[in-house]
Structures are given as C-alpha cells and as structure tokens.
Amino acid sequence: MDDITPGDGEEPAATVSGGWPPGAIPGDGAWPEEYADVEPQSAPRTVADVTPAPGSDVPGSAALSPDGRTLVVTDGTKRLAVWDVTDPAKARVTQTTDIPAGGGGASLSEDGDVVRSGRLGWRLTGPGKAEAVGELPLPKGAESMDVPVEGSWGALAVTSGPKRFTTWYVRAGMEPAALGTDAFPEVPHAFALPPGRLVLGYTGLLVRDVSHVVRTAADPKAAACAATGGGLTRTELEARAPGATWHRACP
C-alpha cells in the first residue's frame, strides 16, 4: 500500500493486502471450511443496537464475556450498558453507567475479566454485573483512546487523528509509551491479534507487530537477560568492580 507512511524512525508495519497469501489470517474467508453452511440453532434476536445515536457520528460497540453470559454495550451516547444474556430470550439490562471523556469502544481483557471503554474499566463479577476498576493513563494531548487488548502485562491502546493512528503501550502508574504512527487514506479502525499484534485500517489493512513490547512487559527479567546475553560472569564483574560480590542474575 503506497499511501501508508510509517511514523518517523519506525519499521514499516506488515501489509495484509500486500503479499500475504490467502488464508494466512484466520477468518479472511480463504479457507474452504470458512464457506461451509452453518445451520442456525435458533432465529436471531436483537438484544442491543450499537448504531450511532441521533445527532452523533460515533458508532457504538459491544463485547461479550467468554462464558457468553454478559454483554457490554456502548451506544455512542457516552453511556455503557451491562446486559445479562444468560437466557437470550430474556436478555435484560442490569446496570448502566455514564462514560466521561476518555472513553472509547468496548473491549475485553485477555482473561475476560475486565471490560474497557477507553481508559475506563469494569471488572465482570457475575452474569450482568460489573464494578469499576482503576483507570489507565491517557496519552498527553489525547481526548480519548481505544484499548484493543489488555492483559496482566499492561495494554495496547490507539489514538487517532485525521486519518492517522498512533499505537501506545499503557499501564497504570506509568506514562504511556508511543510505539508507532501510521497514516491511512480513510478513517481507520484497530483489531487485536494476540499476542502483541494489531490490525489497523479500514478498506486497506496493515499489521503493526509490537509483540516484543508485550513479551518484555510480561517478563522483564527474561527480556533483560536475553538483551545482555545472560548478564555478567564472575570474571567480568571482577574486571569491572574488583571485590564486588557476584550473584547469578540470570538462569
């Protein structure tokens, strides 16, 4: 894609539409089994509408818990609703909350316990139940952000300007770190491909791979040992700091 310009000093992100063979990405429709007819078990039923609210051009979003019993919906009106869908025929809203500035699309953490709307978060405590958890830091100058993926290691977030996306590493208690900026000819979206990869774009897609950041954040000691070749040996320490007590730093 010639019209995508990586951020200054950044390695170009891999282009999905520029050389990847069909079927390289699960769900792209290229595998024969993805065309198999599926017999519906029951008639579809609408339980929530995420189309933009009247007067708003902000679409809503939804996230379903791994057990399929809780649905969290944002509807573009700065309101988040928690649904109990244990019985889809009797789906009901159990709680709602206003989303102040800094909110974004709904997403679930890797373990399925926390739902995020931008920097704001709620822990799912049961079918249709959620309680607020700590906020993630918002990048300086940004009014809002989306969090495509979050884990015990932190989270990957994106902020957007006119046809541009900046990817961030965010974690409570530290300043967000920019991981790269990409330009697009249209308004982009972001989707997570764990671990540590984001699909960015709209009609044209690219992949930004920041898995090295995720691995480092998940196990900083292992990353430091790998970067230093296992740390100083006893001989190397004695040469640099005679008399210092040596301890094995890496396995």
Side-chain angles (χ1 to χ4, degrees):
M1 296 172 60
D2 295 334
D3 47 11
I4 295 178
T5 304
D8 293 340
E10 294 293 331
E11 291 295 324
T15 304
V16 172
S17 58
W20 281 22
I25 301 177
D28 68 358
W31 292 106
E33 58 268 26
E34 294 181 26
Y35 291 101
D37 293 332
V38 178
E39 191 68 27
Q41 300 299 310
S42 61
R45 178 175 182 270
T46 300
V47 297
D49 190 349
V50 295
T51 55
S56 172
D57 60 357
V58 179
S61 61
L64 184 67
S65 64
D67 62 10
R69 301 171 69 183
T70 301
L71 178 69
V72 181
V73 178
T74 62
D75 60 6
T77 63
K78 295 185 179 182
R79 181 171 290 271
L80 178 142
V82 181
W83 289 71
D84 183 349
V85 292
T86 302
D87 182 352
K90 298 178 181 179
R92 60 192 180 91
V93 176
T94 56
Q95 65 186 93
T96 61
T97 184
D98 291 332
I99 304 174
S107 65
L108 279 168
S109 60
E110 290 180 333
D111 59 12
D113 286 346
V114 175
V115 63
R116 285 283 174 191
S117 176
R119 62 184 174 87
L120 311 173
W122 296 264
R123 185 173 302 281
L124 302 181
T125 57
K129 297 180 180 179
E131 60 182 22
V133 297
E135 299 179 5
L136 292 174
L138 194 65
K140 290 182 179 180
E143 296 181 357
S144 63
M145 68 181 183
D146 283 323
V147 180
V149 61
E150 180 179 10
S152 58
W153 44 267
L156 298 180
V158 292
T159 57
S160 58
K163 303 180 180 179
R164 296 183 70 84
F165 251 22
T166 299
T167 303
W168 302 82
Y169 172 73
V170 293
R171 189 167 189 163
M174 63 173 286
E175 287 291 324
L179 304 178
T181 298
D182 300 285
F184 296 87
E186 67 283 299
V187 178
H189 298 281
F191 308 93
L193 288 177
R197 293 183 298 156
L198 298 180
V199 176
L200 309 175
Y202 189 71
T203 55
L205 301 176
L206 61 81
V207 173
R208 176 159 289 283
D209 188 342
V210 291
S211 54
H212 63 289
V213 175
V214 174
R215 289 193 300 268
T216 299
D219 194 343
K221 181 177 179 179
C225 288
T228 59
L232 292 176
T233 65
R234 189 189 304 271
T235 301
E236 290 171 335
L237 179 63
E238 180 63 26
R240 290 167 172 76
T245 302
W246 179 85
H247 296 282
R248 184 179 298 278
C250 299

